[in-house]
Amino acid sequence: MIIFRPASPDQPLIAALFDQADNRAASLYPDHDRSGTSAAQLIAQNVCFFIACDTISGAVAGCGGYVPLPDLKAGEHCAQQAAHS
């Protein structure tokens, strides 16, 4: 089973996932068609970030994030999501 849990995008494991995604994109698209976002930019933009983990092995299967709607402060919304996960 896969579960989702809050995470910070500046963790080394997540940096490795970003590197894998960048390498894959580089093999498919020219530089001018790719744009990346750094962990620092995600944090600065108040992105609610999560990782997907295998409950048996503990392996991280992927990651993602979203920017909450403007009616909630990002920190509040991320905390609400974490409480329900």
Side-chain angles (χ1 to χ4, degrees), residues 12-26:
L13 180 61
I14 294 171
L17 291 173
F18 286 163
D19 288 344
Q20 289 175 7
D22 287 344
N23 290 337
R24 178 71 175 143

Side-chain angles (χ1 to χ4, degrees), residues 13 17-18 27 30 32 34 39 46 50 55 57 59-60 67 69 80:
L13 180 61
L17 291 173
F18 286 163
S27 73
H32 66 274
R34 292 184 289 122
N46 295 316
F50 296 83
T55 57
S57 69
V60 174
V67 177
L69 295 173
Q80 289 174 4

Side-chain angles (χ1 to χ4, degrees), residues 20-85:
Q20 289 175 7
D22 287 344
N23 290 337
R24 178 71 175 143
S27 73
L28 298 171
Y29 308 104
D31 287 344
H32 66 274
D33 287 337
R34 292 184 289 122
S35 62
T37 301
S38 70
Q41 289 171 316
L42 294 172
I43 292 168
Q45 294 171 4
N46 295 316
V47 172
C48 290
F49 202 80
F50 296 83
I51 56 174
C53 300
D54 182 293
T55 57
I56 296 171
S57 69
V60 174
C63 60
Y66 68 94
V67 177
L69 295 173
D71 62 335
L72 288 174
K73 294 178 184 163
E76 292 173 4
H77 194 265
C78 294
Q80 289 174 4
Q81 292 297 327
H84 292 46
S85 61

